[in-house]
Amino acid sequence: MEPSNRPKGDAFRQQKLTAWQPIMTPLKVVVIFFAIAVCFIPTGLTLLSSSNEVYEERVVYDGSDQTVDCSITTEGQGKVCTIQFTFTEDVDGPVYVYYEMENFYQNHRRYVSSRDPFQLEGDEVGKSDLETSCDSFVTNGSLIINPCGLIANSLFTDVFTLDSTNSIPQNSTLDESGIAWASDDVKFKQPSGFKSKAVNNFGTSCTAEGLPVDCQQYTDSSGQKYLFYYPDEDDVQYLYESYPGLISPIDGVTDEHFKVWMRPAALPTFRKLYGKVEGDFQANDTLIFSVTANYEVDSFDGSKALLLSTVGEFGGKNPYLGVAFVVVGCISLMFALLFVVKQMVSPRAKADASLLNWT
């Protein structure tokens, strides 16, 4: 018997499965539009209410519409200026501090892809592989840049410091810890072979602290002393060397501001978290920030701003989502009412053969 290509006679292969096709009667259409309106309008009003409860204040300090003159024309200029925020109402803390940039396209394909994830995780990666993954900023003369790529080597370098003495309430502090996503902890690790040790003084030798003999010394802003060692210092330019004074050699690529910057924004206008100020504030309280401007944006017509914002149940201030829900709900309600009026004024009988055109 010759083989046959005929499929088996079950319902699935013969396409005889039970099916259901809804008939969209006027009543069903009206019910669907009303259901959308009932769901969307209250949701939108809730989102708008939550957004309106968020306190936000923004000061542009470099750009065409700046209100504080802290503009620079060269990279690393180090211009210092002061920004004062005065609360116009009582605010329940914490208050989050953001910096905002405009006309900076972090979402460009070449920019987003210019990084090496294995190098950022502390692995040793060959120069040829880095040239493929990073494409740009792979070497600086004879030194291999670690980390390489456009994102890592365009780090935002402005520095914000809270003047706790002159701010009200006094002794307010800017907490810059915990600003990165927890998932970033596994994506950013110091190079394999890196070692560091906190010490009371630099009188002890490197070998006595379990470090190689050619380790280096570092003292952080709090006065804590460290001994540290990076492998292949003569052949590699590490992050703390690319940004001296900004990136600690102890933190390196685990620096939280660096982690925040390395998560590219989807739009050319974006804001990134810099820190938070704990505590509640009353109307007319002030927070005074000292800004050291190092990041030049004049060459690409960009702008920089500093923001204070609280957080609501659905995040920061964003009225657009609430407006979108209300608009869609109102449109659905309007269509539902139009169908009701049409059905009352000029009803159409279901399965009316007289409405068919046979010609």
Side-chain angles (χ1 to χ4, degrees):
M1 181 176 179
E2 295 183 0
S4 173
N5 292 328
R6 181 178 180 179
K8 296 181 179 180
D10 57 86
F12 177 77
R13 290 182 174 84
Q14 295 300 325
Q15 300 184 20
K16 295 180 180 180
L17 293 174
T18 303
W20 175 73
Q21 182 176 356
I23 299 175
M24 300 306 292
T25 63
L27 178 59
K28 292 179 180 178
V29 172
V30 169
V31 170
I32 290 173
F33 277 122
F34 264 120
I36 294 175
V38 168
C39 293
F40 274 57
I41 292 177
T43 301
L45 293 176
T46 302
L47 292 172
L48 281 174
S49 176
S50 176
S51 177
N52 292 333
E53 292 175 357
V54 173
Y55 181 86
E56 182 177 295
E57 191 173 352
R58 173 176 176 266
V59 174
V60 178
Y61 65 91
D62 191 350
S64 58
D65 56 346
Q66 64 187 27
T67 55
V68 174
D69 184 13
C70 203
S71 58
I72 58 175
T73 55
T74 57
E75 189 73 17
Q77 191 168 325
K79 182 177 181 179
V80 179
C81 57
T82 299
I83 297 178
Q84 176 174 314
F85 293 93
T86 301
F87 291 92
T88 57
E89 59 186 68
D90 293 347
V91 175
D92 295 331
V95 173
Y96 293 88
V97 181
Y98 299 85
Y99 61 88
E100 181 181 272
M101 295 189 66
E102 291 186 358
N103 203 36
F104 191 103
Y105 289 81
Q106 270 200 321
N107 58 348
H108 192 283
R109 179 184 59 82
R110 289 189 62 187
Y111 188 89
V112 172
S113 61
S114 183
R115 61 191 294 169
D116 190 287
F118 299 105
Q119 188 187 46
L120 291 169
E121 291 175 4
D123 297 340
E124 184 176 351
V125 183
K127 179 181 177 182
S128 59
D129 293 329
L130 295 177
E131 289 173 343
T132 301
S133 56
C134 289
D135 186 47
S136 302
F137 289 97
V138 176
T139 59
N140 180 16
S142 61
L143 299 176
I144 294 178
I145 300 177
N146 185 346
C148 63
L150 289 170
I151 312 178
N153 290 277
S154 60
L155 176 65
F156 186 79
T157 52
D158 285 5
V159 178
F160 307 107
T161 306
L162 178 62
D163 184 352
S164 58
T165 302
N166 296 314
S167 297
I168 302 175
Q170 291 185 340
N171 300 322
S172 297
T173 58
L174 177 62
D175 182 8
E176 301 175 32
S177 63
I179 60 175
W181 291 16
S183 60
D184 288 337
D185 291 343
V186 298
K187 298 179 182 178
F188 299 92
K189 297 179 181 179
Q190 288 285 61
S192 177
F194 167 80
K195 296 180 179 180
S196 66
K197 183 69 177 294
V199 295
N200 295 324
N201 56 71
F202 293 134
T204 58
S205 64
C206 296
T207 53
E209 297 294 340
L211 277 71
V213 66
D214 55 344
C215 76
Q216 302 180 62
Q217 301 174 349
Y218 173 74
T219 304
D220 65 15
S221 57
S222 66
Q224 176 62 59
K225 297 178 174 57
Y226 293 90
L227 297 176
F228 71 93
Y229 170 79
Y230 278 88
D232 305 319
E233 277 276 10
D234 296 333
D235 301 318
V236 180
Q237 176 180 306
Y238 290 102
L239 189 65
Y240 81 96
E241 296 171 310
S242 299
Y243 299 100
L246 183 68
I247 300 295
S248 158
I250 308 304
D251 295 332
V253 296
T254 65
D255 180 89
E256 298 223 29
H257 293 298
F258 178 73
K259 292 180 183 179
V260 170
W261 179 259
M262 288 296 291
R263 188 173 290 276
L267 299 174
T269 298
F270 59 87
R271 60 184 60 173
K272 292 182 180 289
L273 183 61
Y274 193 87
K276 64 180 179 180
V277 182
E278 296 284 356
D280 299 330
F281 302 88
Q282 299 178 348
N284 298 320
D285 282 354
T286 59
L287 289 179
I288 301 174
F289 291 88
S290 174
V291 180
T292 304
N294 295 304
Y295 203 81
E296 182 271 322
V297 297
D298 179 68
S299 60
F300 56 88
D301 296 325
S303 70
K304 299 180 293 185
L306 187 64
L307 291 94
L308 294 184
S309 177
T310 57
V311 175
E313 296 177 355
F314 302 99
K317 182 178 285 293
N318 180 17
Y320 306 107
L321 183 60
V323 170
F325 269 84
V326 171
V327 168
V328 171
C330 290
I331 292 175
S332 297
L333 181 60
M334 180 188 68
F335 276 115
L337 295 176
L338 287 176
F339 272 101
V340 170
V341 172
K342 193 270 179 190
Q343 191 66 12
M344 293 176 62
V345 174
S346 178
R348 176 177 178 176
K350 184 170 66 174
D352 188 351
S354 66
L355 298 175
L356 297 176
N357 185 2
W358 301 101
T359 60

Short mmCIF file of all heavy atoms in Angstrom, two decimals, residues 296-345:
data_model
loop_
_atom_site.label_atom_id
_atom_site.label_comp_id
_atom_site.label_asym_id
_atom_site.label_seq_id
_atom_site.Cartn_x
_atom_site.Cartn_y
_atom_site.Cartn_z
N GLU A 296 30.14 69.98 30.23
CA GLU A 296 29.83 70.99 29.21
C GLU A 296 28.72 70.51 28.29
O GLU A 296 28.78 69.41 27.74
CB GLU A 296 31.10 71.29 28.40
CG GLU A 296 30.94 72.36 27.34
CD GLU A 296 30.50 71.79 26.01
OE1 GLU A 296 30.97 70.69 25.65
OE2 GLU A 296 29.69 72.45 25.34
N VAL A 297 27.67 71.33 28.11
CA VAL A 297 26.54 70.99 27.25
C VAL A 297 26.32 72.04 26.16
O VAL A 297 25.43 71.89 25.33
CB VAL A 297 25.24 70.82 28.07
CG1 VAL A 297 25.36 69.67 29.05
CG2 VAL A 297 24.88 72.11 28.80
N ASP A 298 27.11 73.10 26.17
CA ASP A 298 26.92 74.19 25.21
C ASP A 298 27.17 73.73 23.77
O ASP A 298 26.50 74.20 22.84
CB ASP A 298 27.87 75.35 25.55
CG ASP A 298 27.75 76.51 24.59
OD1 ASP A 298 26.69 77.17 24.58
OD2 ASP A 298 28.71 76.76 23.83
N SER A 299 28.08 72.79 23.56
CA SER A 299 28.45 72.37 22.20
C SER A 299 27.32 71.65 21.48
O SER A 299 27.30 71.60 20.25
CB SER A 299 29.69 71.47 22.25
OG SER A 299 29.44 70.31 23.03
N PHE A 300 26.36 71.04 22.22
CA PHE A 300 25.25 70.36 21.55
C PHE A 300 23.90 70.98 21.95
O PHE A 300 22.86 70.34 21.86
CB PHE A 300 25.25 68.85 21.88
CG PHE A 300 25.23 68.50 23.34
CD1 PHE A 300 24.04 68.36 24.02
CD2 PHE A 300 26.42 68.30 24.03
CE1 PHE A 300 24.02 68.02 25.36
CE2 PHE A 300 26.41 67.96 25.37
CZ PHE A 300 25.20 67.82 26.04
N ASP A 301 23.93 72.26 22.36
CA ASP A 301 22.71 73.01 22.70
C ASP A 301 21.88 72.28 23.76
O ASP A 301 20.64 72.26 23.69
CB ASP A 301 21.86 73.26 21.45
CG ASP A 301 22.56 74.14 20.44
OD1 ASP A 301 23.30 75.05 20.87
OD2 ASP A 301 22.39 73.93 19.22
N GLY A 302 22.55 71.70 24.72
CA GLY A 302 21.85 71.02 25.79
C GLY A 302 21.59 71.94 26.96
O GLY A 302 21.93 73.13 26.94
N SER A 303 20.99 71.40 27.98
CA SER A 303 20.75 72.16 29.21
C SER A 303 20.81 71.21 30.39
O SER A 303 20.62 70.00 30.25
CB SER A 303 19.40 72.88 29.16
OG SER A 303 18.33 71.95 29.24
N LYS A 304 21.08 71.79 31.57
CA LYS A 304 21.16 71.02 32.80
C LYS A 304 20.29 71.69 33.85
O LYS A 304 20.20 72.92 33.91
CB LYS A 304 22.61 70.93 33.30
CG LYS A 304 23.58 70.27 32.35
CD LYS A 304 24.98 70.23 32.91
CE LYS A 304 25.57 71.63 33.04
NZ LYS A 304 26.99 71.61 33.47
N ALA A 305 19.66 70.86 34.67
CA ALA A 305 18.80 71.38 35.73
C ALA A 305 18.94 70.52 36.96
O ALA A 305 19.32 69.34 36.88
CB ALA A 305 17.34 71.43 35.27
N LEU A 306 18.65 71.11 38.11
CA LEU A 306 18.62 70.40 39.38
C LEU A 306 17.18 70.38 39.87
O LEU A 306 16.49 71.41 39.81
CB LEU A 306 19.53 71.08 40.40
CG LEU A 306 19.74 70.35 41.74
CD1 LEU A 306 20.46 69.03 41.52
CD2 LEU A 306 20.54 71.23 42.71
N LEU A 307 16.71 69.23 40.33
CA LEU A 307 15.31 69.09 40.74
C LEU A 307 15.21 68.53 42.15
O LEU A 307 16.03 67.71 42.57
CB LEU A 307 14.56 68.14 39.79
CG LEU A 307 14.27 68.58 38.38
CD1 LEU A 307 15.36 68.09 37.44
CD2 LEU A 307 12.94 68.03 37.92
N LEU A 308 14.15 68.98 42.83
CA LEU A 308 13.72 68.36 44.07
C LEU A 308 12.34 67.77 43.82
O LEU A 308 11.49 68.40 43.20
CB LEU A 308 13.62 69.38 45.21
CG LEU A 308 14.91 70.03 45.72
CD1 LEU A 308 14.59 70.92 46.92
CD2 LEU A 308 15.95 68.99 46.09
N SER A 309 12.11 66.56 44.30
CA SER A 309 10.81 65.93 44.08
C SER A 309 10.54 64.90 45.16
O SER A 309 11.46 64.23 45.64
CB SER A 309 10.77 65.25 42.70
OG SER A 309 9.55 64.57 42.50
N THR A 310 9.28 64.81 45.54
CA THR A 310 8.85 63.70 46.38
C THR A 310 8.34 62.59 45.46
O THR A 310 8.33 62.72 44.24
CB THR A 310 7.74 64.14 47.35
OG1 THR A 310 6.65 64.69 46.59
CG2 THR A 310 8.27 65.19 48.32
N VAL A 311 7.90 61.50 46.05
CA VAL A 311 7.43 60.35 45.27
C VAL A 311 6.05 59.97 45.79
O VAL A 311 5.83 59.85 47.00
CB VAL A 311 8.40 59.16 45.39
CG1 VAL A 311 7.83 57.94 44.68
CG2 VAL A 311 9.75 59.52 44.79
N GLY A 312 5.10 59.79 44.86
CA GLY A 312 3.76 59.36 45.21
C GLY A 312 3.59 57.86 45.08
O GLY A 312 4.57 57.11 44.92
N GLU A 313 2.35 57.40 45.13
CA GLU A 313 2.08 55.97 45.03
C GLU A 313 2.49 55.40 43.68
O GLU A 313 2.78 54.21 43.56
CB GLU A 313 0.59 55.72 45.26
CG GLU A 313 0.11 56.10 46.65
CD GLU A 313 -1.38 55.91 46.83
OE1 GLU A 313 -2.03 55.56 45.81
OE2 GLU A 313 -1.89 56.08 47.94
N PHE A 314 2.48 56.25 42.64
CA PHE A 314 2.80 55.78 41.29
C PHE A 314 4.07 56.43 40.77
O PHE A 314 4.26 56.56 39.56
CB PHE A 314 1.63 56.07 40.35
CG PHE A 314 0.34 55.45 40.78
CD1 PHE A 314 -0.62 56.19 41.46
CD2 PHE A 314 0.08 54.11 40.53
CE1 PHE A 314 -1.82 55.61 41.86
CE2 PHE A 314 -1.10 53.53 40.93
CZ PHE A 314 -2.07 54.28 41.61
N GLY A 315 4.96 56.83 41.67
CA GLY A 315 6.22 57.42 41.25
C GLY A 315 6.20 58.93 41.34
O GLY A 315 5.47 59.51 42.15
N GLY A 316 7.00 59.60 40.49
CA GLY A 316 7.10 61.05 40.51
C GLY A 316 5.94 61.73 39.81
O GLY A 316 4.97 61.09 39.39
N LYS A 317 6.05 63.06 39.67
CA LYS A 317 4.99 63.83 39.03
C LYS A 317 4.94 63.49 37.55
O LYS A 317 5.91 63.67 36.81
CB LYS A 317 5.23 65.33 39.23
CG LYS A 317 4.13 66.21 38.64
CD LYS A 317 4.41 67.68 38.92
CE LYS A 317 4.12 68.03 40.35
NZ LYS A 317 2.67 67.94 40.68
N ASN A 318 3.78 63.00 37.11
CA ASN A 318 3.58 62.64 35.70
C ASN A 318 2.09 62.72 35.38
O ASN A 318 1.38 61.71 35.44
CB ASN A 318 4.11 61.24 35.42
CG ASN A 318 3.93 60.84 33.96
OD1 ASN A 318 3.71 61.68 33.11
ND2 ASN A 318 4.01 59.54 33.68
N PRO A 319 1.57 63.92 35.05
CA PRO A 319 0.13 64.06 34.79
C PRO A 319 -0.31 63.45 33.47
O PRO A 319 -1.50 63.21 33.26
CB PRO A 319 -0.06 65.58 34.77
CG PRO A 319 1.26 66.13 34.35
CD PRO A 319 2.29 65.20 34.93
N TYR A 320 0.63 63.17 32.57
CA TYR A 320 0.27 62.75 31.22
C TYR A 320 -0.43 61.40 31.20
O TYR A 320 -1.37 61.19 30.43
CB TYR A 320 1.53 62.71 30.33
CG TYR A 320 2.28 64.01 30.33
CD1 TYR A 320 3.49 64.13 31.00
CD2 TYR A 320 1.77 65.14 29.69
CE1 TYR A 320 4.18 65.34 31.02
CE2 TYR A 320 2.44 66.34 29.70
CZ TYR A 320 3.64 66.43 30.37
OH TYR A 320 4.32 67.63 30.41
N LEU A 321 -0.01 60.47 32.03
CA LEU A 321 -0.64 59.16 32.05
C LEU A 321 -2.08 59.27 32.53
O LEU A 321 -2.99 58.66 31.97
CB LEU A 321 0.15 58.20 32.95
CG LEU A 321 -0.35 56.75 33.00
CD1 LEU A 321 -0.32 56.13 31.62
CD2 LEU A 321 0.50 55.93 33.97
N GLY A 322 -2.30 60.06 33.59
CA GLY A 322 -3.66 60.26 34.07
C GLY A 322 -4.54 60.93 33.04
O GLY A 322 -5.70 60.54 32.85
N VAL A 323 -4.01 61.94 32.35
CA VAL A 323 -4.77 62.63 31.30
C VAL A 323 -5.13 61.66 30.18
O VAL A 323 -6.25 61.67 29.66
CB VAL A 323 -3.96 63.83 30.76
CG1 VAL A 323 -4.63 64.39 29.50
CG2 VAL A 323 -3.83 64.90 31.82
N ALA A 324 -4.18 60.80 29.82
CA ALA A 324 -4.44 59.83 28.75
C ALA A 324 -5.57 58.89 29.13
O ALA A 324 -6.46 58.60 28.30
CB ALA A 324 -3.16 59.04 28.45
N PHE A 325 -5.59 58.40 30.35
CA PHE A 325 -6.67 57.51 30.79
C PHE A 325 -8.01 58.22 30.78
O PHE A 325 -9.02 57.66 30.34
CB PHE A 325 -6.37 56.98 32.21
CG PHE A 325 -5.60 55.69 32.23
CD1 PHE A 325 -4.23 55.67 32.13
CD2 PHE A 325 -6.27 54.49 32.35
CE1 PHE A 325 -3.51 54.49 32.15
CE2 PHE A 325 -5.58 53.28 32.38
CZ PHE A 325 -4.20 53.28 32.27
N VAL A 326 -8.05 59.46 31.26
CA VAL A 326 -9.31 60.21 31.29
C VAL A 326 -9.81 60.49 29.88
O VAL A 326 -11.01 60.36 29.60
CB VAL A 326 -9.13 61.53 32.08
CG1 VAL A 326 -10.36 62.42 31.94
CG2 VAL A 326 -8.85 61.24 33.54
N VAL A 327 -8.92 60.86 28.98
CA VAL A 327 -9.31 61.15 27.60
C VAL A 327 -9.89 59.91 26.92
O VAL A 327 -10.95 59.97 26.27
CB VAL A 327 -8.11 61.71 26.80
CG1 VAL A 327 -8.43 61.75 25.30
CG2 VAL A 327 -7.75 63.09 27.30
N VAL A 328 -9.21 58.77 27.06
CA VAL A 328 -9.72 57.54 26.46
C VAL A 328 -11.07 57.16 27.07
O VAL A 328 -12.00 56.75 26.37
CB VAL A 328 -8.70 56.38 26.65
CG1 VAL A 328 -9.31 55.05 26.22
CG2 VAL A 328 -7.44 56.66 25.86
N GLY A 329 -11.20 57.31 28.39
CA GLY A 329 -12.47 57.01 29.04
C GLY A 329 -13.59 57.91 28.57
O GLY A 329 -14.72 57.46 28.33
N CYS A 330 -13.31 59.20 28.41
CA CYS A 330 -14.33 60.15 27.95
C CYS A 330 -14.74 59.87 26.50
O CYS A 330 -15.93 59.96 26.15
CB CYS A 330 -13.81 61.58 28.08
SG CYS A 330 -13.66 62.15 29.79
N ILE A 331 -13.76 59.52 25.66
CA ILE A 331 -14.09 59.19 24.27
C ILE A 331 -14.97 57.94 24.22
O ILE A 331 -15.96 57.89 23.46
CB ILE A 331 -12.79 58.99 23.45
CG1 ILE A 331 -12.05 60.31 23.29
CG2 ILE A 331 -13.11 58.39 22.09
CD1 ILE A 331 -10.70 60.19 22.61
N SER A 332 -14.65 56.94 25.03
CA SER A 332 -15.47 55.73 25.07
C SER A 332 -16.89 56.04 25.57
O SER A 332 -17.88 55.53 25.04
CB SER A 332 -14.81 54.69 25.98
OG SER A 332 -13.56 54.30 25.47
N LEU A 333 -16.99 56.89 26.58
CA LEU A 333 -18.31 57.28 27.09
C LEU A 333 -19.11 58.03 26.02
O LEU A 333 -20.32 57.80 25.87
CB LEU A 333 -18.14 58.15 28.33
CG LEU A 333 -19.43 58.62 29.02
CD1 LEU A 333 -20.26 57.43 29.47
CD2 LEU A 333 -19.11 59.54 30.19
N MET A 334 -18.43 58.89 25.27
CA MET A 334 -19.11 59.62 24.21
C MET A 334 -19.65 58.68 23.14
O MET A 334 -20.80 58.81 22.69
CB MET A 334 -18.14 60.63 23.57
CG MET A 334 -18.74 61.46 22.44
SD MET A 334 -17.50 62.45 21.59
CE MET A 334 -16.51 61.17 20.78
N PHE A 335 -18.84 57.70 22.73
CA PHE A 335 -19.29 56.74 21.73
C PHE A 335 -20.45 55.90 22.26
O PHE A 335 -21.40 55.58 21.52
CB PHE A 335 -18.14 55.84 21.29
CG PHE A 335 -17.28 56.43 20.22
CD1 PHE A 335 -15.95 56.74 20.45
CD2 PHE A 335 -17.79 56.68 18.95
CE1 PHE A 335 -15.16 57.29 19.47
CE2 PHE A 335 -17.01 57.23 17.95
CZ PHE A 335 -15.68 57.54 18.21
N ALA A 336 -20.39 55.54 23.55
CA ALA A 336 -21.48 54.76 24.14
C ALA A 336 -22.78 55.55 24.09
O ALA A 336 -23.85 55.02 23.71
CB ALA A 336 -21.14 54.38 25.57
N LEU A 337 -22.73 56.83 24.43
CA LEU A 337 -23.93 57.67 24.40
C LEU A 337 -24.43 57.86 22.97
O LEU A 337 -25.65 57.87 22.72
CB LEU A 337 -23.63 59.02 25.05
CG LEU A 337 -23.31 58.97 26.56
CD1 LEU A 337 -22.93 60.35 27.07
CD2 LEU A 337 -24.49 58.41 27.34
N LEU A 338 -23.50 58.02 22.03
CA LEU A 338 -23.91 58.18 20.62
C LEU A 338 -24.63 56.93 20.12
O LEU A 338 -25.64 57.03 19.40
CB LEU A 338 -22.68 58.48 19.75
CG LEU A 338 -22.07 59.87 19.89
CD1 LEU A 338 -20.81 59.98 19.04
CD2 LEU A 338 -23.07 60.94 19.47
N PHE A 339 -24.14 55.75 20.49
CA PHE A 339 -24.80 54.51 20.07
C PHE A 339 -26.19 54.39 20.72
O PHE A 339 -27.13 53.91 20.09
CB PHE A 339 -23.93 53.31 20.43
CG PHE A 339 -22.94 52.95 19.36
CD1 PHE A 339 -21.61 53.30 19.49
CD2 PHE A 339 -23.33 52.25 18.23
CE1 PHE A 339 -20.69 52.98 18.51
CE2 PHE A 339 -22.42 51.91 17.24
CZ PHE A 339 -21.09 52.29 17.38
N VAL A 340 -26.29 54.81 21.99
CA VAL A 340 -27.59 54.77 22.65
C VAL A 340 -28.58 55.69 21.95
O VAL A 340 -29.74 55.31 21.66
CB VAL A 340 -27.45 55.16 24.13
CG1 VAL A 340 -28.83 55.36 24.77
CG2 VAL A 340 -26.69 54.09 24.89
N VAL A 341 -28.16 56.91 21.65
CA VAL A 341 -29.05 57.87 20.96
C VAL A 341 -29.43 57.36 19.59
O VAL A 341 -30.60 57.42 19.17
CB VAL A 341 -28.36 59.25 20.85
CG1 VAL A 341 -29.18 60.19 19.97
CG2 VAL A 341 -28.16 59.84 22.24
N LYS A 342 -28.44 56.82 18.86
CA LYS A 342 -28.73 56.30 17.52
C LYS A 342 -29.73 55.16 17.56
O LYS A 342 -30.64 55.07 16.72
CB LYS A 342 -27.41 55.86 16.87
CG LYS A 342 -27.51 55.59 15.36
CD LYS A 342 -27.86 54.15 15.07
CE LYS A 342 -27.98 53.91 13.57
NZ LYS A 342 -28.54 52.57 13.26
N GLN A 343 -29.57 54.28 18.54
CA GLN A 343 -30.46 53.13 18.63
C GLN A 343 -31.88 53.56 19.04
O GLN A 343 -32.86 52.93 18.62
CB GLN A 343 -29.91 52.12 19.66
CG GLN A 343 -30.61 50.78 19.67
CD GLN A 343 -30.43 49.99 18.38
OE1 GLN A 343 -29.58 50.34 17.53
NE2 GLN A 343 -31.21 48.93 18.19
N MET A 344 -31.96 54.63 19.82
CA MET A 344 -33.28 55.11 20.21
C MET A 344 -33.97 55.87 19.08
O MET A 344 -35.18 55.77 18.88
CB MET A 344 -33.16 56.02 21.44
CG MET A 344 -32.71 55.31 22.71
SD MET A 344 -32.48 56.44 24.10
CE MET A 344 -34.15 57.08 24.28
N VAL A 345 -33.20 56.63 18.32
CA VAL A 345 -33.78 57.45 17.24
C VAL A 345 -34.03 56.62 16.00
O VAL A 345 -35.08 56.71 15.35
CB VAL A 345 -32.86 58.65 16.92
CG1 VAL A 345 -33.38 59.42 15.70
CG2 VAL A 345 -32.75 59.56 18.13
#
